[in-house]
Coordinates of all heavy atoms in Angstrom, one line a residue:
K35 N -12.0 2.8 -5.4 CA -11.8 2.9 -6.8 C -11.1 4.3 -7.2 O -11.6 5.3 -6.7 CB -13.1 2.8 -7.6 CG -13.9 1.6 -7.3 CD -13.7 0.4 -8.1 CE -14.6 -0.7 -7.9 NZ -14.6 -1.4 -6.6
F36 N -10.1 4.2 -7.9 CA -9.4 5.5 -8.3 C -9.3 5.6 -9.8 O -9.1 4.6 -10.5 CB -8.0 5.5 -7.7 CG -8.0 5.5 -6.2 CD1 -7.7 4.3 -5.5 CD2 -8.2 6.6 -5.5 CE1 -7.7 4.2 -4.2 CE2 -8.2 6.6 -4.1 CZ -7.9 5.4 -3.4
E37 N -9.5 6.8 -10.3 CA -9.3 7.0 -11.8 C -7.9 6.9 -12.2 O -7.6 6.5 -13.3 CB -9.9 8.4 -12.2 CG -11.4 8.5 -12.0 CD -12.2 7.5 -12.9 OE1 -11.8 7.5 -14.1 OE2 -13.1 6.9 -12.4
S38 N -7.0 7.3 -11.3 CA -5.6 7.2 -11.6 C -4.8 7.2 -10.2 O -5.4 7.4 -9.2 CB -5.1 8.5 -12.3 OG -5.3 9.6 -11.5
E39 N -3.6 6.7 -10.3 CA -2.8 6.6 -9.1 C -2.1 8.0 -8.9 O -1.5 8.4 -9.8 CB -1.8 5.5 -9.2 CG -2.5 4.2 -9.3 CD -1.5 3.0 -9.5 OE1 -0.3 3.3 -9.6 OE2 -1.9 1.9 -9.6
P40 N -2.1 8.5 -7.7 CA -1.5 9.8 -7.5 C 0.1 9.7 -7.5 O 0.8 10.6 -7.8 CB -2.0 10.3 -6.1 CG -2.5 9.0 -5.4 CD -2.9 8.1 -6.5
Y41 N 0.6 8.5 -7.1 CA 2.0 8.3 -7.1 C 2.4 6.9 -7.7 O 1.6 6.0 -7.6 CB 2.5 8.3 -5.7 CG 2.2 9.6 -4.9 CD1 1.2 9.7 -4.1 CD2 3.1 10.8 -5.2 CE1 0.9 10.9 -3.4 CE2 2.8 12.0 -4.5 CZ 1.7 12.0 -3.7 OH 1.4 13.2 -3.1
T42 N 3.6 6.9 -8.2 CA 4.1 5.5 -8.6 C 5.3 5.3 -7.7 O 6.2 6.1 -7.5 CB 4.6 5.7 -10.1 OG1 3.5 6.0 -10.9 CG2 5.2 4.3 -10.5
L43 N 5.3 4.1 -7.2 CA 6.4 3.7 -6.2 C 7.2 2.6 -6.9 O 6.7 1.6 -7.4 CB 5.8 3.2 -4.9 CG 5.2 4.2 -4.0 CD1 4.5 3.4 -2.9 CD2 6.3 5.0 -3.4
T44 N 8.5 2.7 -6.8 CA 9.4 1.6 -7.2 C 10.5 1.5 -6.1 O 10.7 2.6 -5.4 CB 10.1 1.8 -8.5 OG1 10.8 3.1 -8.6 CG2 9.0 1.8 -9.6
Q45 N 11.2 0.4 -6.0 CA 12.2 0.4 -5.0 C 13.4 -0.4 -5.5 O 13.3 -1.3 -6.4 CB 11.7 -0.3 -3.7 CG 11.4 -1.8 -3.7 CD 12.5 -2.7 -3.4 OE1 13.3 -2.4 -2.4 NE2 12.7 -3.8 -4.1
E46 N 14.6 -0.1 -4.9 CA 15.8 -0.9 -5.2 C 16.7 -0.9 -4.0 O 16.6 0.0 -3.2 CB 16.5 -0.3 -6.4 CG 17.0 1.1 -6.3 CD 17.6 1.7 -7.6 OE1 17.0 1.4 -8.7 OE2 18.7 2.3 -7.5
N47 N 17.5 -1.9 -3.9 CA 18.4 -2.0 -2.8 C 19.8 -1.4 -3.2 O 20.2 -1.7 -4.3 CB 18.6 -3.5 -2.3 CG 17.3 -4.0 -1.7 OD1 16.6 -3.3 -1.0 ND2 16.9 -5.2 -2.0
S48 N 20.4 -0.7 -2.3 CA 21.7 0.0 -2.6 C 22.5 -0.2 -1.3 O 22.3 0.6 -0.3 CB 21.4 1.4 -2.9 OG 22.7 2.1 -3.0
G49 N 23.4 -1.2 -1.3 CA 24.2 -1.4 -0.1 C 23.4 -1.8 1.1 O 22.7 -2.7 1.1
E50 N 23.5 -0.9 2.2 CA 22.8 -1.2 3.4 C 21.4 -0.4 3.5 O 20.8 -0.4 4.5 CB 23.6 -0.7 4.6 CG 24.9 -1.6 4.7 CD 24.6 -3.0 5.0 OE1 23.8 -3.3 5.8 OE2 25.3 -3.9 4.4
E51 N 21.0 0.2 2.3 CA 19.8 0.9 2.3 C 18.9 0.5 1.2 O 19.2 -0.2 0.2 CB 20.1 2.4 2.0 CG 21.0 3.1 3.0 CD 21.4 4.5 2.5 OE1 21.6 4.7 1.3 OE2 21.6 5.3 3.5
T52 N 17.6 0.7 1.4 CA 16.6 0.5 0.4 C 16.1 1.9 0.0 O 15.8 2.8 0.8 CB 15.4 -0.3 1.0 OG1 15.8 -1.6 1.3 CG2 14.3 -0.4 -0.1
V53 N 16.1 2.1 -1.3 CA 15.7 3.4 -1.9 C 14.4 3.2 -2.6 O 14.2 2.4 -3.5 CB 16.8 4.0 -2.9 CG1 16.3 5.3 -3.5 CG2 18.1 4.1 -2.3
I54 N 13.4 4.0 -2.1 CA 12.1 3.9 -2.7 C 11.9 5.2 -3.5 O 12.0 6.3 -3.0 CB 11.0 3.9 -1.6 CG1 11.2 2.7 -0.7 CG2 9.6 3.9 -2.2 CD1 10.4 2.7 0.6
M55 N 11.6 5.0 -4.8 CA 11.4 6.2 -5.7 C 10.0 6.4 -5.8 O 9.2 5.5 -6.1 CB 12.0 5.9 -7.1 CG 13.5 6.0 -7.2 SD 14.4 4.6 -6.4 CE 14.0 3.3 -7.5
L56 N 9.6 7.6 -5.5 CA 8.2 8.0 -5.5 C 8.0 9.1 -6.6 O 8.7 10.1 -6.5 CB 7.8 8.5 -4.1 CG 6.5 9.1 -3.8 CD1 5.5 7.9 -3.8 CD2 6.4 9.9 -2.6
E57 N 7.1 8.9 -7.5 CA 6.9 9.9 -8.5 C 5.5 10.4 -8.5 O 4.5 9.5 -8.6 CB 7.3 9.4 -9.9 CG 7.2 10.4 -11.0 CD 7.7 9.8 -12.4 OE1 8.3 8.8 -12.4 OE2 7.5 10.6 -13.3
S58 N 5.3 11.7 -8.5 CA 3.9 12.3 -8.5 C 3.4 12.3 -9.9 O 4.1 12.7 -10.8 CB 4.0 13.7 -7.9 OG 2.8 14.3 -8.1
A59 N 2.2 11.8 -10.1 CA 1.6 11.8 -11.4 C 1.3 13.2 -11.9 O 1.4 13.5 -13.1 CB 0.2 11.0 -11.4
S60 N 1.1 14.2 -11.0 CA 0.9 15.6 -11.4 C 2.2 16.4 -11.5 O 2.1 17.5 -11.8 CB -0.1 16.2 -10.4 OG 0.6 16.3 -9.1
Q61 N 3.3 15.7 -11.2 CA 4.6 16.5 -11.2 C 4.6 17.6 -10.2 O 5.3 18.6 -10.4 CB 5.0 16.9 -12.6 CG 5.1 15.8 -13.7 CD 6.3 14.8 -13.3 OE1 7.4 15.3 -13.1 NE2 5.9 13.6 -13.3
N62 N 3.9 17.5 -9.2 CA 3.8 18.5 -8.1 C 5.1 18.6 -7.3 O 5.6 17.6 -6.9 CB 2.6 18.2 -7.2 CG 2.3 19.3 -6.3 OD1 3.0 20.2 -6.0 ND2 1.0 19.2 -5.8
N63 N 5.6 19.8 -7.1 CA 6.8 19.9 -6.4 C 6.6 20.4 -4.9 O 7.5 20.8 -4.3 CB 7.7 21.0 -7.1 CG 8.2 20.5 -8.4 OD1 8.4 19.2 -8.6 ND2 8.4 21.4 -9.3
S64 N 5.4 20.4 -4.5 CA 5.1 20.8 -3.1 C 5.7 19.9 -2.1 O 6.1 18.7 -2.4 CB 3.5 20.7 -2.8 OG 2.8 21.6 -3.7
P65 N 6.0 20.4 -0.9 CA 6.7 19.5 0.1 C 5.9 18.2 0.4 O 4.7 18.3 0.3 CB 6.7 20.4 1.3 CG 6.6 21.8 0.8 CD 5.8 21.7 -0.4
L66 N 6.6 17.2 0.6 CA 6.1 15.9 0.8 C 6.5 15.3 2.1 O 7.7 15.5 2.5 CB 6.5 15.0 -0.4 CG 6.0 13.6 -0.4 CD1 4.9 13.4 -1.5 CD2 7.1 12.6 -0.6
S67 N 5.6 14.6 2.8 CA 6.0 13.9 4.0 C 5.6 12.5 3.8 O 4.6 12.2 3.1 CB 5.5 14.5 5.3 OG 4.1 14.4 5.2
A68 N 6.4 11.5 4.4 CA 6.0 10.1 4.2 C 6.3 9.4 5.5 O 7.4 9.7 6.1 CB 6.8 9.5 3.1
N69 N 5.5 8.6 6.0 CA 5.7 7.7 7.1 C 5.9 6.3 6.6 O 5.0 5.8 5.8 CB 4.6 7.8 8.1 CG 4.5 9.2 8.7 OD1 5.5 9.8 9.1 ND2 3.2 9.7 8.8
V70 N 6.8 5.6 7.2 CA 7.1 4.2 6.8 C 7.0 3.4 8.1 O 7.6 3.7 9.1 CB 8.5 4.0 6.1 CG1 8.7 2.6 5.8 CG2 8.7 5.0 5.0
V71 N 6.1 2.4 8.0 CA 5.9 1.5 9.2 C 6.1 0.0 8.7 O 5.6 -0.4 7.6 CB 4.4 1.7 9.7 CG1 4.1 0.7 10.8 CG2 4.1 3.1 10.0
S72 N 6.8 -0.7 9.6 CA 7.1 -2.1 9.2 C 5.9 -3.0 9.5 O 4.9 -2.5 10.1 CB 8.3 -2.6 10.0 OG 7.9 -2.7 11.4
E73 N 6.0 -4.2 9.0 CA 4.8 -5.2 9.2 C 4.5 -5.5 10.6 O 3.4 -5.8 11.0 CB 5.1 -6.4 8.4 CG 6.3 -7.2 8.9 CD 6.7 -8.4 8.1 OE1 6.7 -8.3 6.8 OE2 6.9 -9.5 8.7
N74 N 5.4 -5.3 11.6 CA 5.1 -5.4 13.0 C 4.8 -4.1 13.7 O 4.7 -4.1 14.9 CB 6.3 -6.1 13.7 CG 7.6 -5.4 13.6 OD1 7.7 -4.2 13.1 ND2 8.6 -6.0 14.1
G75 N 4.5 -3.0 12.9 CA 4.0 -1.8 13.5 C 5.1 -0.8 13.9 O 4.8 0.2 14.5
Q76 N 6.4 -1.1 13.7 CA 7.5 -0.2 14.1 C 7.6 0.9 13.1 O 7.6 0.6 11.9 CB 8.8 -1.0 14.2 CG 8.8 -2.1 15.2 CD 8.8 -1.6 16.6 OE1 9.5 -0.6 16.9 NE2 8.1 -2.2 17.5
I77 N 7.7 2.2 13.5 CA 8.0 3.3 12.7 C 9.5 3.2 12.2 O 10.3 3.0 13.0 CB 7.7 4.6 13.4 CG1 6.2 4.7 13.7 CG2 8.2 5.8 12.5 CD1 5.9 5.9 14.5
V78 N 9.6 3.3 10.9 CA 11.0 3.1 10.3 C 11.5 4.5 10.0 O 10.9 5.4 9.5 CB 10.9 2.4 9.0 CG1 12.3 2.3 8.3 CG2 10.3 1.0 9.2
D79 N 12.8 4.8 10.5 CA 13.5 6.1 10.2 C 13.7 6.2 8.7 O 14.4 5.4 8.1 CB 14.8 6.1 11.0 CG 15.4 7.5 10.9 OD1 14.7 8.5 10.8 OD2 16.6 7.6 10.9
A80 N 13.0 7.3 8.1 CA 13.1 7.4 6.7 C 13.6 8.8 6.3 O 13.2 9.8 7.0 CB 11.7 7.2 6.0
N81 N 14.5 8.9 5.3 CA 15.0 10.1 4.8 C 14.4 10.4 3.5 O 14.5 9.6 2.6 CB 16.5 10.0 4.7 CG 17.2 11.3 4.2 OD1 16.5 12.4 4.3 ND2 18.4 11.2 3.7
I82 N 13.7 11.5 3.4 CA 13.0 11.9 2.1 C 13.6 13.1 1.5 O 13.9 14.1 2.1 CB 11.5 12.2 2.4 CG1 10.8 11.0 3.2 CG2 10.7 12.6 1.2 CD1 9.6 11.4 3.9
K83 N 13.9 13.0 0.2 CA 14.4 14.2 -0.5 C 13.8 14.3 -1.9 O 13.6 13.3 -2.6 CB 15.9 14.1 -0.6 CG 16.5 12.9 -1.3 CD 18.0 13.0 -1.3 CE 18.6 11.8 -2.0 NZ 20.1 11.8 -2.0
L84 N 13.7 15.5 -2.4 CA 13.2 15.8 -3.7 C 14.4 15.7 -4.6 O 15.5 16.3 -4.4 CB 12.6 17.3 -3.8 CG 12.2 17.7 -5.1 CD1 10.9 17.0 -5.6 CD2 11.9 19.3 -5.1

Side-chain angles (χ1 to χ4, degrees):
K35 308 264 186 298
F36 299 100
E37 293 296 318
S38 65
E39 295 178 1
Y41 302 99
T42 302
L43 289 168
T44 56
Q45 70 91 38
E46 61 185 44
N47 294 318
S48 174
E50 296 297 314
E51 299 173 328
T52 296
V53 180
I54 301 164
M55 284 73 69
L56 178 74
E57 185 172 352
S58 171
S60 65
Q61 300 296 311
N62 189 341
N63 294 330
S64 298
L66 181 109
S67 63
N69 295 316
V70 181
V71 179
S72 70
E73 62 189 45
N74 61 4
Q76 298 286 323
I77 296 175
V78 177
D79 187 30
N81 181 17
I82 304 159
K83 63 181 179 179
L84 178 67

